[in-house]
Amino acid sequence: MPQSLFSLAEDIRRCTACPLWKGRILPVPGEGFADAPIMVIGEAPGEQEDREGLPFVGRGGQFFMDLLESINVKRSDLFITNSVKCRPPKNRTPTMKECGECNDLWLQKQITLLNPKLIILVGGVAVRTCLGKGSVGKLHGTVITKEGRKYFVMYHPAAALRFPTIRKIMEKDLVTLKKVVGEI
Ligand code: URA
């Protein structure tokens, strides 16, 4: 039987491949329907995500989901996950080594199984994990096609919550995202 996103999540919950597992309360494999047309890939679980085992449920995550709701994209339209599945100590940025290992072991399999029409990359870590290079500063608000997959790049919600100028840019990018979603 081919592996499902559900059974893959079970494997992720048992993962001890890199040291991040030692600091986690709960691993956060991802959440969503197997036929979701849109995938959201963020950076890493934060404190609340680590407690609940669910992605994008903390302050930043909620803020991002509210932004998507404002363009009529609902949590139920999405499969949401992160570049790494375990919370880094003190919410530090995951290293590219950690992201690379987690990508090879889990994220690429999730993308293949879901086969989404669009992948929203949230923040620089997700951009570098999935595209290999590039900065959000240059790529935000644009669609990038790589190896047959369509990506839309957005700033990380933590940056928008901290800097009003980034928030304004994000609101503008949402207008573009609404158009892109309407075309998939
Ligand atoms: N919540 C997450 O799970 N990941 C992010 O990147 C931001 C908020």
Side-chain angles (χ1 to χ4, degrees):
M1 200 171 67
Q3 188 166 40
S4 66
L5 276 165
F6 184 81
S7 71
L8 189 66
E10 287 304 301
D11 292 346
I12 293 171
R13 286 193 183 93
R14 284 189 292 268
C15 183
T16 56
C18 87
L20 287 184
W21 76 274
K22 290 180 192 160
R24 74 187 177 211
I25 298 173
L26 290 173
V28 185
E31 182 191 33
F33 295 100
D35 58 356
I38 304 169
M39 186 170 193
V40 171
I41 303 175
E43 181 175 311
E47 188 179 3
Q48 197 59 29
E49 286 83 8
D50 183 51
R51 275 204 208 117
E52 295 189 35
L54 294 170
F56 283 74
V57 291
R59 184 165 171 251
Q62 288 282 357
F63 169 70
F64 191 76
M65 289 301 132
D66 290 347
L67 286 181
L68 292 185
E69 279 265 6
S70 76
I71 57 161
N72 220 21
V73 174
K74 297 173 196 67
R75 215 170 156 104
S76 56
D77 298 322
L78 307 170
F79 185 90
I80 312 163
T81 189
N82 281 302
S83 303
V84 295
K85 313 306 189 202
C86 300
R87 181 191 182 197
K90 297 184 183 154
N91 289 348
R92 69 159 167 77
T93 304
T95 65
M96 276 301 111
K97 184 168 183 280
E98 289 158 352
C99 293
E101 285 176 5
C102 214
N103 183 41
D104 293 346
L105 270 173
W106 308 121
L107 183 60
Q108 283 308 312
K109 289 179 190 144
Q110 289 178 309
I111 294 172
T112 303
L113 284 170
L114 186 68
N115 196 21
K117 294 195 172 113
L118 180 70
I119 299 175
I120 304 174
L121 298 176
V122 184
V125 169
V127 167
R128 286 186 294 281
T129 299
C130 292
L131 304 180
K133 60 181 166 100
S135 73
V136 189
K138 287 207 177 107
L139 300 177
H140 73 89
T142 64
V143 174
I144 288 139
T145 305
K146 190 183 174 218
E147 287 157 14
R149 299 219 175 268
K150 229 173 163 182
Y151 298 89
F152 188 84
V153 174
M154 295 201 73
Y155 273 102
H156 194 272
L161 285 170
R162 243 181 110 194
F163 304 108
T165 48
I166 303 265
R167 189 176 178 140
K168 283 245 146 59
I169 294 170
M170 240 173 143
E171 283 163 5
K172 248 176 121 184
D173 290 345
L174 272 180
V175 177
T176 312
L177 179 60
K178 187 174 180 184
K179 250 208 245 151
V180 173
V181 168
E183 287 162 5
I184 61 171

